[in-house]
Amino acid sequence: MLLDHERVAIHTGPRSRLPVIVAVHSTALGPAAGGLRLWHYPDWRDGLTDALRLSAAMTSKFAVAGLPSGGGKAVVALPEGVTLDTGRRREVLRDVADVIDSLGGMYATGPDVGTGPADMALIGETTPHVFCRPAQLGGSGDSSPHTARGTLAALRAVSRRLYGTASLNGRSLAVIGLGRVGAGLARLLTAEGAALTVTDIDPDKRRIGEELGAVWRAPDEILAADVDIVVPSALGSVLTGQNVAELRCRAVVGPANNQLATPEVADLLHHRGIIWVPDYVASAGGVINAISTELHHAGADAADARVRAIEETVNDLLETAHRLGRTPAQAADELATRRLGAASGLRRGA
Ligand code: PHE
């Protein structure tokens, strides 16, 4: 397989002795951005694979969102069973910050699975190339509420397509994962009048389900729940060639990155008559808010309007897919490819 990325930096952090991976997929649209994932992997090479896939998805995310940024991602691959105390965590973050700084602005980081605004503040002590520091430090803060609102916008578009109304009142949804984004989204959906089934690998999250009056299901049972829409909100690769056959929903739309185990799963979903909105479209609210406010100096209302515009983007994608007999995944990929092609054409002076 050919390397599809502009640059991949792999370091053993001099302080932490942990593998620090920064993958810059493309800067065709602008300097790359993407979150820092601090997560456990059986082998650091699995972290590299994740970084390569996640950074490519960021390129598509920005292209479809219409933002002049490129795709990147950083991964710190923690060995299974290793937990970081505060001191160790600081060492890791300093190691990551040095690698980012050495790229000279080619890549800026943000929060992702396992990191948040406090971590961004620490990285910001070393390098300016960081989004989502706490507001008191001049950053745009936690991106997860915006990611949740962007996903809600995508869900409204899907509801309109399926049921003729964007309202989610009375719809049943299964939210897989109650992390910062998943829990926020579950709260928004409950406020909209939706009936929820929820799960998380952490049994303590059951409390959130109870608070929302949601039905709790075991993680390995929830995909097959008898609901209108399944909402993957945790880690990737939840949809596989095997489990698509078990789905009983009419759509899968959620904020988790890299939901498909392989790209062909999008076709399997389509053949089953299930609408799948590409994760990189539904999950763009966080980066849209961070980049609009921090890089393009949009006010809160303007940034919010851009996040809510995901509803229109998904309406258009579903409409285009329907008209051309494509899957939404193909329609989104084609839109991203078109925008990337136009940008590199411009750069070549074509
Ligand atoms: N985790 C975010 C995503 O996958 C990454 C991010 C958020 C990057 C905010 C920059 C700013 O889209």
Side-chain angles (χ1 to χ4, degrees), residues 11-13 15-21 36-51 74-93 95-96 112-115 119 235:
H11 293 247
T12 298
R15 304 172 185 82
S16 66
R17 309 305 302 164
L18 286 168
V20 175
I21 302 155
L36 164 62
R37 185 164 290 205
L38 196 57
W39 199 244
H40 294 94
Y41 296 89
D43 187 302
W44 74 269
R45 276 162 284 217
D46 301 317
L48 172 61
T49 303
D50 219 14
V75 169
V76 173
L78 298 173
E80 304 280 12
V82 168
T83 50
L84 300 173
D85 60 26
T86 317
R88 233 20 243 306
R89 194 177 180 91
R90 292 179 75 90
E91 289 175 354
V92 176
L93 294 167
D95 286 340
V96 173
D112 197 77
V113 176
T115 60
D119 303 311
L235 294 175

Side-chain angles (χ1 to χ4, degrees), residues 33-35 58 61 73 108-113 131-132 143 257 283-284 286-287 290-291:
M58 290 307 294
K61 193 180 290 199
K73 206 89 179 188
T109 200
D112 197 77
V113 176
F131 293 105
C132 301
S143 61
N257 286 310
S283 67
V287 277
I291 303 255

Side-chain angles (χ1 to χ4, degrees), residues 61 65 67 146-147 150-151 279-289 307 310:
K61 193 180 290 199
L67 288 170
H146 309 286
T147 307
T151 310
D279 33 30
Y280 63 75
V281 180
S283 67
V287 277
I288 290 175
N289 182 74
V307 172
I310 290 176

Side-chain angles (χ1 to χ4, degrees), residues 168-186:
L168 293 156
N169 188 13
R171 295 266 90 84
S172 58
L173 296 97
V175 179
I176 307 178
L178 296 172
R180 286 197 308 267
V181 176
L185 180 57

